[in-house]
Amino acid sequence: AAKRAGGNSMSVFEAHMDSDALYTLSLQSDLRHAVERGELQLYYQPKIDGHEGRIHGVEALVRWNHPQRGLLSPGVFIPLAERFGLIGAIGNWVIEEACRQMRDWAEVGVRMRVAINLSAYQLREPDLVERIERALQRERVEPSCLLCEITESVAMEDIQATQTAFEGLARIGVFLSIDDFGTGYSSLSYLRQLPARQLKIDRSFVQDLQSSSDARAVVDAVVRLAHALGLRVVAEGVETAGQRDALVRMGCDEMQGFLFARPMPAAELLDWALGRRAESMADFAPSV
Ligand code: C2E
Ligand code: MG
Ligand code: MG
Ligand code: MG
């Protein structure tokens, strides 16, 4: 650390930096053992049909039950995992756990489509497709029940790796989705080449729907573009009835957000889904 260059105000600044660095360091060393100690958990957030209100599937979102710090969100530890080479192990755990959970649900008669989020690192792993195929086979889950979400910015980061991974996954029958769309400046011609099924509009546009005519124009254009390319459109981060109504009017196919449900543990999700089924008599078979 710099030596007493700037008197008192400087040392306050340094103390702050040190505690941040220490926090990162201790989390990083704990994260090394999180998988083997069974501290990771998948939460599931439903995707709701814009027209009929039935459940289209769920997105698996990883959480870390830290023994001292409590439940940590992926925004805290996924970037750390990426920086310290731990994302591979976490990503593999997510693949296995999501498939195991689908099998569990199937055993009680619920055929639920599950989406998982893939990192840039996973896209470049040469055995990604094989690993996913093995996990599906082990749990006897149909490949089309699994959907892989890749953010637009990750997809743009390494176009060759993305293309190869997408083609491999599509070949075995897994569905693909472009996440956080609208923030990554991808070209139309590139998007057209990817065998994706779904496009998820970034939450920032949904948030601004009612206050900004620009956001409305973007969402409207994205829905048309996606449909022209044969993709289904999902809006993420839907929090108000006003946003929902605007999205339905624009032809958005599915919605996800706190207005409908927060991400929840598997058992809670099942109760929630069964409660809704009793209400609406809708069925669970994925229809995409
Ligand atoms: P994402 O894939 O775009 O997931 C959506 C995020 O928005 C989730 O945050 C979700 O809890 C949150 N969300 C859902 N509805 C609403 C809403 O109505 N309002 C607001 N304000 N937020 C909403 P979460 O679970 O903290 O995950 C953050 C990001 O971490 C995810 O963004 C995804 O990129 C990443 N992530 C999560 N799980 C995994 C994983 O298993 N592997 C990898 N590589 N990344 C993951
Ligand atoms: Mg996602
Ligand atoms: Mg997203
Ligand atoms: Mg997002």
Side-chain angles (χ1 to χ4, degrees), residues 177-197:
S177 171
I178 312 280
D179 205 352
D180 297 354
F181 187 78
T183 57
Y185 315 104
S186 53
S187 77
L188 295 186
S189 59
Y190 170 54
L191 195 62
R192 200 168 55 87
Q193 287 165 33
L194 290 176
R197 296 269 185 156

Side-chain angles (χ1 to χ4, degrees), residues 4 25 27 133 162 179-180 200 213 222 241 246 272:
R4 311 189 194 293
L25 197 68
L27 270 194
E133 190 171 33
T162 303
D179 205 352
D180 297 354
K200 296 183 76 173
S213 57
V222 168
W272 185 88

Side-chain angles (χ1 to χ4, degrees), residues 9-122:
S9 60
M10 187 66 174
S11 60
V12 169
F13 181 60
E14 280 179 351
H16 171 72
M17 279 192 24
D18 283 351
S19 79
D20 261 15
L22 277 179
Y23 179 69
T24 300
L25 197 68
S26 91
L27 270 194
Q28 175 221 331
S29 94
D30 294 346
L31 193 53
R32 292 191 184 283
H33 308 287
V35 173
E36 71 210 41
R37 290 180 183 157
E39 293 170 359
L40 297 183
Q41 188 181 358
L42 290 182
Y43 274 47
Y44 298 90
Q45 185 181 36
K47 292 181 179 173
I48 307 293
D49 186 286
H51 308 285
E52 310 156 51
R54 70 192 197 104
I55 306 169
H56 253 286
V58 293
E59 177 176 6
L61 295 155
V62 70
R63 303 286 182 261
W64 179 13
N65 286 301
H66 190 285
Q68 282 89 41
R69 303 181 197 276
L71 198 66
L72 299 181
S73 69
V76 172
F77 65 89
I78 292 281
L80 275 186
E82 278 168 348
R83 197 141 51 111
F84 295 107
L86 303 168
I87 191 68
I90 294 176
N92 289 342
W93 178 84
V94 169
I95 292 168
E96 314 270 314
E97 176 62 13
C99 290
R100 194 200 57 71
Q101 188 58 66
M102 280 191 269
R103 178 73 197 154
D104 254 26
W105 280 327
E107 271 166 10
V108 295
V110 175
R111 213 167 75 107
M112 193 81 84
R113 169 168 292 148
V114 174
I116 58 174
N117 293 281
L118 296 183
S119 65
Y121 175 86
Q122 286 177 288

Side-chain angles (χ1 to χ4, degrees), residues 53-281:
R54 70 192 197 104
I55 306 169
H56 253 286
V58 293
E59 177 176 6
L61 295 155
V62 70
R63 303 286 182 261
W64 179 13
N65 286 301
H66 190 285
Q68 282 89 41
R69 303 181 197 276
L71 198 66
L72 299 181
S73 69
V76 172
F77 65 89
I78 292 281
L80 275 186
E82 278 168 348
R83 197 141 51 111
F84 295 107
L86 303 168
I87 191 68
I90 294 176
N92 289 342
W93 178 84
V94 169
I95 292 168
E96 314 270 314
E97 176 62 13
C99 290
R100 194 200 57 71
Q101 188 58 66
M102 280 191 269
R103 178 73 197 154
D104 254 26
W105 280 327
E107 271 166 10
V108 295
V110 175
R111 213 167 75 107
M112 193 81 84
R113 169 168 292 148
V114 174
I116 58 174
N117 293 281
L118 296 183
S119 65
Y121 175 86
Q122 286 177 288
L123 281 189
R124 286 191 288 263
E125 277 194 308
D127 66 345
L128 173 71
V129 175
E130 204 189 306
R131 183 178 290 280
I132 288 181
E133 190 171 33
R134 268 203 318 267
L136 289 166
Q137 279 167 358
R138 185 183 319 128
E139 305 293 345
R140 280 166 289 149
V141 173
E142 265 176 61
S144 66
C145 284
L146 183 71
L147 193 130
C148 292
E149 299 190 0
I150 295 96
T151 64
E152 184 191 24
S153 52
V154 163
M156 290 307 291
E157 202 177 293
D158 188 338
I159 290 179
Q160 193 50 57
T162 303
Q163 186 83 37
T164 305
F166 268 47
E167 276 164 9
L169 289 169
R171 195 178 335 106
I172 64 168
V174 167
F175 283 16
L176 294 151
S177 171
I178 312 280
D179 205 352
D180 297 354
F181 187 78
T183 57
Y185 315 104
S186 53
S187 77
L188 295 186
S189 59
Y190 170 54
L191 195 62
R192 200 168 55 87
Q193 287 165 33
L194 290 176
R197 296 269 185 156
Q198 182 180 91
L199 196 149
K200 296 183 76 173
I201 299 177
D202 190 63
R203 190 170 78 220
S204 56
F205 298 104
V206 175
Q207 239 161 23
D208 296 344
L209 261 186
Q210 283 159 300
S211 60
S212 149
S213 57
D214 285 356
R216 270 198 304 281
V218 169
V219 172
D220 196 55
V222 168
V223 172
R224 287 165 202 272
L225 161 71
H227 285 165
L229 294 174
L231 299 166
R232 286 178 69 86
V233 185
V234 181
E236 63 174 27
V238 182
E239 293 181 353
T240 70
Q243 291 165 351
R244 176 197 60 203
D245 295 344
L247 288 161
V248 169
R249 266 200 308 278
M250 288 190 254
C252 181
D253 303 296
E254 295 170 41
M255 287 177 279
Q256 225 181 336
F258 297 166
L259 176 67
F260 306 101
R262 287 181 179 261
M264 47 197 147
E268 214 177 297
L269 185 275
L270 188 63
D271 286 346
W272 185 88
L274 293 173
R276 273 181 79 95
R277 176 156 67 173
E279 258 172 46
S280 68
M281 296 302 289

